[in-house]
Amino acid sequence: SLAGDDEGLWVAVGASATEHRGGTLRLSSPLPTPVSLDPAVAYDTDVWKILTITNDGLLAYRKVGGPDGAMLVPDLASALSDVSADGLTYRFPLREGIRYSNGEPVRPEDFRRGIERSLGLHPAGSLLSAIEDAGACIPVDPEASTPDCDLQDSIVVDEEAVTFHLATRDPELPLKLAMPFAFPVPADTPTEYQGMDPVPSTGPYVVAETGTKFIELARNPEFREWSAAAQPDG
């Protein structure tokens, strides 16, 4: 935002959010169009740039520039986790009233379903292998069918919170839960790879249309800003 020439210094400043809203922003990239927008398998930083404005996790990295952008903040969780003294249990209280882009409410069991799919569909899921019984969800052969995966005793849910029980300590678990492979999906989402068919989302944008050379996002009519730090209104 700073540039100099022979005559002096130019300083660029941004308009406030209230001064401009709406319109169309087009971004051109030399990179190929992604092959999937499924958060369980889209292990690609360019796709994550899309998924972090269409979807949410329990936690998020604060959406600001600079070093503060590495700070974890509550997102679909209403607070950072309570951790047991032995480091094997993490409890996240949940926000109320969050809905997906299809109008359905986000339910506690959706967080478990998102992780079950990731463990079974992509090697990145192994980053969550510290969760009890996670090993049974990871295919031994990547080409083999996805094993039956049931983490009901490891990711325990109720109407107010999601609780993770770990087999081994993993101090980085909160960092991982802010990644797309830990994002919730409706509990009835099939395990099968979804490709470019977007799953219902919670962020300010939804995937409106995709093609071989483009992805179009539009405003999510169900979105309301619950945390400017975690998910600002666009």
Side-chain angles (χ1 to χ4, degrees), residues 48 52 59-74 174-175 178-179 228-232:
W48 284 5
T52 52
L59 305 177
Y61 291 96
R62 188 178 178 193
K63 287 189 170 62
V64 294
D68 286 347
M71 180 186 300
L72 277 181
V73 294
L175 303 175
M179 302 292 191
Q231 192 63 283

Side-chain angles (χ1 to χ4, degrees), residues 34-39 41 51 55 117 185 189-190 192-200 207 209-210:
V35 297
S36 177
L37 294 174
D38 188 332
V41 300
L51 292 176
N55 298 67
R117 293 185 73 249
V185 297
T189 304
E192 290 75 22
Y193 169 67
Q194 298 297 294
M196 293 297 285
D197 295 329
V199 297
V207 177
E209 188 177 357
T210 63

Side-chain angles (χ1 to χ4, degrees), residues 61-144:
Y61 291 96
R62 188 178 178 193
K63 287 189 170 62
V64 294
D68 286 347
M71 180 186 300
L72 277 181
V73 294
D75 191 354
L76 296 179
S78 60
L80 297 177
S81 61
D82 294 325
V83 187
S84 62
D86 61 7
L88 296 178
T89 302
Y90 288 73
R91 183 182 184 275
F92 294 89
L94 298 177
R95 295 187 193 275
E96 297 180 354
I98 307 296
R99 291 186 176 273
Y100 290 111
S101 51
N102 62 2
E104 293 295 319
V106 175
R107 297 179 171 88
E109 57 266 30
D110 297 349
F111 296 91
R112 181 170 59 218
R113 183 58 180 154
I115 289 175
E116 289 175 342
R117 293 185 73 249
S118 292
L119 288 168
L121 285 173
H122 196 278
S126 63
L127 293 171
L128 299 168
S129 60
I131 297 172
E132 283 185 353
D133 302 323
C137 298
I138 302 173
V140 176
D141 179 359
E143 301 299 324

Side-chain angles (χ1 to χ4, degrees), residues 45-62:
T45 55
D46 291 298
V47 182
W48 284 5
K49 293 174 185 177
I50 296 172
L51 292 176
T52 52
I53 60 173
T54 59
N55 298 67
D56 295 274
L58 285 165
L59 305 177
Y61 291 96
R62 188 178 178 193

